[in-house]
Amino acid sequence: MKYISILGSTGSIGTQTLDVVREQSDKITVTAISGNKNVELLKRQILEFNPELCCVMDDNNALKLKKILPSYVKTQIVSGMEGLIAVAEYEKSKTVVTAVSGMIGLKPTIAAIKKGKTIALANKETLVTGGNYIMDLSKKYKAPILPVDSEHSAIFQCLMANENKAINKILLTASGGPFRGKDEEDLKTVTVEDALKHPNWSMGKKITIDSATLMNKGLEVIEAKFLFDIEPEQIEVIVHPQSIVHSGVEFIDHSTIAQLGHPDMRIPIQFALFYPKRMENSYKSLSLSDIGSLTFEKPDLKTFKCLSLAFEALSAGGTMPAVLNASNETCVKLFLDKKISFLDIGNINEKVMLSHIPAKIDSIEAILEAEEWTKQTIKKLL
Ligand code: NDP
Ligand code: MG
């Protein structure tokens, strides 16, 4: 039996992780979960999965949950960052699925690493902001990081039985998002509703907007650099609108291996939970003849500047990726609240990066300072 904690069980990745648990219910037990606002769903999850611990980030929502739970429920309810860390560190859990959205995932993920847990990493922001500091912690505490992000899961699978030094380049695929083929003029008038219509994946709002700006691919470039310890020049982003080829690796002998599947996050989630074993499931089989054709094109780096900014952040190093991530997080929130336009996201990210002098990251405080500096800088810019 595998015992797991899920940080962010009410979100897109969290609920799909619970789908995997339903499918493999004789092999996985959920011991601890967390949510933020969706108290009704947390109640249903507690009644179905009977976890020992549940964190509701917001104190008032935690009280609400306690009130609506039947009195026979034994699940302990905690709240705040302390509660989130308790879910991450929960002794019985050997694997922690990090499915919260944004930099809020940093502290609990580090706490889980320090307890030697296996990290099923969906929360890419942790690796983007912490980079080598997180990878070093993972080695020091023997806490393996297994990617949940479909592209990184694909690369990880392509690399099985091969060493990183045999890599020529990584082929990181991108759907292109809802605005593929549009130019800057078209993007001047797009709305939040337009940006939330992803063609292939159903995801949380933050990552859906990141997919529309191609910042998601930028964050994934940074994630791949640290996860697989490769040079940014070895990462080639390719737009592949059908989202069937999830990514690939070209080796030094010019043989290329790619991983394919339907765009269904339950597949990489299940792979991370059971690695190195493959488990049977009832999901849809891939029929390439039904799909017919797969197409590939170069990304438009001029219109979608967030992707270029990610490469620039990597070459600047130090706190720059953390600053780009924090700036983007703030901008996406402002865009969702209809306070800035779609194109402002990339423009503000660029301005913030231009005014930042990167420092070394040797502690969590250095990352949090970079985040705070970014928030203050954006306030001055607006
Ligand atoms: P969602 O927005 O769907 O879910 C976010 C989860 O985090 C919810 O459980 C939410 O709780 C909780 N949460 C939100 N804000 C806070 C907070 N301040 N404190 C504590 N918990 C909070 O996101 P996704 O599932 O789409 O994404 C999660 C992570 O996985 C992201 O890092 C994303 O980049 C990554 N990822 C997602 C993919 C996808 O297909 N969705 C694919 C690859 C990576 P509540 O709902 O109760 O408010
Ligand atoms: Mg992805």
Side-chain angles (χ1 to χ4, degrees), residues 124 149-152 207 216-217 220:
K124 62 191 87 183
D149 215 342
S150 57
E151 296 78 0
H152 304 73
I207 183 173
N216 182 49
K217 214 43 58 183
E220 290 183 357

Side-chain angles (χ1 to χ4, degrees), residues 281-294:
N281 59 33
S282 62
Y283 308 153
K284 205 164 111 193
S285 176
L286 181 70
S287 165
L288 285 176
S289 54
D290 282 351
I291 293 166
S293 63
L294 300 175

Side-chain angles (χ1 to χ4, degrees), residues 14-28:
T15 50
Q16 292 181 86
T17 303
L18 289 171
D19 263 350
V20 173
V21 174
R22 282 187 194 101
E23 179 86 18
Q24 309 287 348
S25 58
D26 54 335
K27 299 177 198 77
I28 316 184

Side-chain angles (χ1 to χ4, degrees), residues 155-270:
I155 297 161
F156 187 77
Q157 293 178 58
C158 295
L159 282 173
M160 283 162 85
N162 280 286
E163 290 171 31
N164 285 23
K165 61 176 187 267
I167 301 178
N168 219 6
K169 65 178 177 181
I170 277 176
L171 309 167
L172 189 70
T173 52
S175 71
F179 302 141
R180 183 175 65 91
K182 294 205 184 299
D183 61 20
E184 209 176 314
E185 201 48 43
D186 303 323
L187 295 182
K188 275 185 182 158
T189 51
V190 294
T191 63
V192 170
E193 291 71 26
D194 297 330
L196 283 174
K197 280 184 207 134
H198 196 282
N200 304 340
W201 299 94
S202 160
M203 310 179 285
K205 282 186 181 171
K206 156 76 171 45
I207 183 173
T208 305
I209 301 301
D210 287 348
S211 299
T213 58
L214 289 204
M215 186 75 251
N216 182 49
K217 214 43 58 183
L219 299 177
E220 290 183 357
V221 166
I222 303 174
E223 185 184 8
K225 187 251 166 314
F226 293 117
L227 203 51
F228 304 112
D229 190 22
I230 47 159
E231 296 305 319
E233 304 76 55
Q234 289 176 286
I235 305 173
E236 184 184 344
V237 175
I238 301 154
V239 174
H240 165 49
Q242 297 81 16
S243 296
I244 296 293
V245 176
H246 296 307
S247 277
V249 178
E250 185 194 76
F251 294 94
I252 47 176
D253 61 354
H254 295 108
S255 168
T256 301
I257 299 182
Q259 187 261 339
L260 284 71
H262 286 292
D264 181 343
M265 284 308 295
R266 294 174 303 176
I267 300 170
I269 293 169
Q270 180 183 301

Side-chain angles (χ1 to χ4, degrees), residues 347-367:
N347 293 336
I348 296 174
N349 286 341
E350 188 174 27
K351 278 191 192 152
V352 171
M353 276 177 66
L354 279 172
S355 54
H356 183 66
I357 300 164
K360 201 170 172 248
I361 290 183
D362 46 15
S363 64
I364 184 168
E365 287 74 27
I367 305 168

